[in-house]
Amino acid sequence: MRVLVTGGAGYIGSVVSAELLATGHEVVVVDDLSTGHADAVPPGAEFHQLGITDLGGVLGGWGIDAVVHFAAKSLVGESVADPAKYWHGNVGGTLALLDAMRSSGVFRIVFSSSAATYGDATENPIPETAPTRPTSSYGATKLAIDHVLSNYAKAYDLAAVSLRYFNVAGALLTGDGIGYGERHVVETHLVPLALRAARDEGGNLSIYGSDYPTPDGTCVRDYIHVVDLADAHLRALSVGAPGDHQIVNLGSGSGNSVLEVIETVRQVTGRDLSVREQPRRTGDPATLVAANDLAATVLGWRPKRTLAHMISDAWMLEKSVP
Ligand code: UFG
C-alpha cells in the first residue's frame, strides 16, 4: 500500500512511518515542521514539507491508497488559552485534507483521535460508548473530527477509523542504530520529563496533585508503548468497508499512578530524581483507563509491552542523544 502520513516528522507519526516501511509499504510524509523534525522522517519515506491545507493541487498525483492522519496541534494547556489555533489548525486542516482526498479519489483514513474526547470520565475502564465531554479545546477538536469522519464516511463512502489513544510512551529502537522517540520542543508529558530529571542526576520533577481519589493520591493513566500503538495503526489500515467509521480505544485496560511511573523510572535507570509535590494541574482527571475489548475484536490487537519496557526504550534513546 502507498500511504500518506500527515505529521510523519512527529513522535508517533515517525514511528508509524518507520513501521509501515519495515512491513513493505510505501510512505509519503507531509509535515510543515512546525513541531516535527525533518531528521525524524525515516529513510525510505518520500518527504514533502507541506501543511495539510496545501494538498489540494498535489495529492492526486501521488498515487495514494490510504492516509494516516497525525498532523495536529496537541498541547492541552495551549488549546485552552488559544482555541482558535486548535479549531483552525486541527478541524480546518482536517477538512482541507478530506477535500483533497475526495477530489483525488483517496477513500481510506486512519485518524489519530484521543482519550481527551471523553474528558472527565464517569466510568473506568472507559468504553467507546462512554459520554464524550472534553475538558479542553484540544479534546473538543479531536471529537469534532470524529464526528466529521462519521458524516463523511456515510455520505462519501469513506472507510475511516478513529484511534483514541490513551497515554503513549516509549520509543522505537531499530537494529541499525536509529531511534524514534519523543522530542517535543515544549515537553509536558510525565515519562519524558521524568527521564530528563533522571538524566540530570537528581533533576527535579513536579508531581501535579497528590490528593486525588486514587490508591496513592496521584493520577492514574493507561500507558501504552508507541510500538504497540503503531501496530494498531497498521492493522487499522485494512479494516472497515467504504461507508464505515469505527472508533476504537487504544490502551492496555489497566493504569499506573504518577508515583508508580516515577518508581519504574528509578528502577529502570538506576538513577534518582528529586520529586516535588505541586498543586493539581487544571483539567487533569483523576483516572483514565481504556476499555480495550473493541480493539481486540475490530483490529485483533492487544498491547504486548509493559510500562518498564516503554521506560527502558525511551531511556535508551534519551541516553544516546547528546
Ligand atoms: N504529571 C506530573 N508531572 C509532570 C507531568 C505530568 O505529575 O511533570 C502528571 C499529570 O498531572 C498527569 C500524568 O502525569 O496526571 C500524565 O500526564 P501527561 O501530561 O503525561 O499526560 P496526560 O494524561 O495529561 O495527557 C494525555 C495525552 C494528551 C491527552 C490526554 C487526555 O498525552 O494528548 O492524555 O487526557 F489529551
Side-chain angles (χ1 to χ4, degrees):
M1 212 183 253
R2 187 165 161 85
V3 183
L4 172 69
V5 180
T6 73
Y11 169 40
I12 301 172
S14 64
V15 173
V16 169
S17 296
E19 294 288 63
L20 281 166
L21 289 164
T23 49
H25 296 283
E26 288 176 32
V27 174
V28 180
V29 166
V30 295
D31 197 304
D32 64 6
L33 300 183
S34 56
T35 53
H37 306 271
D39 64 0
V41 177
E46 181 181 317
F47 175 52
H48 302 272
Q49 187 178 347
L50 289 174
I52 47 177
T53 52
D54 303 326
L55 302 178
V58 292
L59 190 61
W62 289 352
I64 298 297
D65 300 304
V67 175
V68 188
H69 176 33
F70 298 101
K73 303 288 167 208
S74 63
L75 293 171
V76 173
E78 182 188 62
S79 79
V80 176
D82 191 2
K85 183 171 177 180
Y86 281 71
W87 284 95
H88 285 292
N90 292 357
V91 180
T94 301
L95 292 174
L97 170 68
L98 290 168
D99 284 346
M101 287 173 62
R102 287 175 60 208
S103 59
S104 312
V106 182
F107 289 103
R108 181 172 284 278
I109 184 166
V110 175
F111 170 59
S112 161
S113 186
S114 170
T117 52
Y118 297 114
D120 226 338
T122 50
E123 56 181 318
N124 270 290
I126 306 169
E128 289 82 354
T129 49
T132 40
R133 292 181 298 223
T135 51
S136 67
S137 305
Y138 168 73
T141 63
K142 291 286 177 178
L143 180 61
I145 296 166
D146 285 344
H147 286 309
V148 169
L149 290 175
S150 290
N151 294 171
Y152 277 39
K154 256 194 217 117
Y156 307 131
D157 277 343
L158 193 67
V161 181
S162 290
L163 298 174
R164 289 190 174 160
Y165 315 155
F166 283 64
N167 287 61
V168 187
L172 168 65
L173 307 171
T174 61
D176 50 10
I178 305 179
Y180 302 91
E182 240 166 320
R183 271 200 283 159
H184 299 119
V185 174
V186 181
E187 190 53 80
T188 61
H189 293 123
L190 178 62
V191 171
L193 288 173
L195 289 174
R196 233 177 252 181
R199 183 178 162 147
D200 297 344
E201 288 281 11
N204 286 319
L205 180 73
S206 297
I207 296 183
Y208 297 127
S210 40
D211 58 349
Y212 282 98
T214 58
D216 65 21
T218 63
C219 287
V220 170
R221 293 289 182 273
D222 185 337
Y223 293 89
I224 163 172
H225 197 298
V226 69
V227 173
D228 282 332
L229 191 85
D231 174 38
H233 287 74
L234 269 58
R235 290 164 184 263
L237 277 170
S238 52
V239 304
D244 286 347
H245 175 224
Q246 312 238 34
I247 296 178
V248 181
N249 286 342
L250 295 182
S252 72
S254 65
N256 290 101
S257 71
V258 172
L259 288 179
E260 286 172 337
V261 171
I262 292 170
E263 186 48 36
T264 311
V265 167
R266 285 196 175 111
Q267 282 168 11
V268 167
T269 63
R271 306 263 184 107
D272 203 7
L273 43 158
S274 105
V275 164
R276 287 193 195 155
E277 289 190 10
Q278 306 277 5
R280 293 181 178 194
R281 200 170 65 173
T282 312
D284 274 346
T287 302
L288 284 176
V289 173
N292 65 3
D293 313 298
L294 200 62
T297 316
V298 172
L299 306 175
W301 175 90
R302 283 205 188 278
K304 298 191 185 110
R305 295 162 180 83
T306 61
L307 179 65
H309 197 154
M310 295 169 218
I311 290 174
S312 169
D313 286 349
W315 178 237
M316 294 287 281
L317 193 63
E318 175 76 26
K319 278 193 305 185
S320 71
V321 177

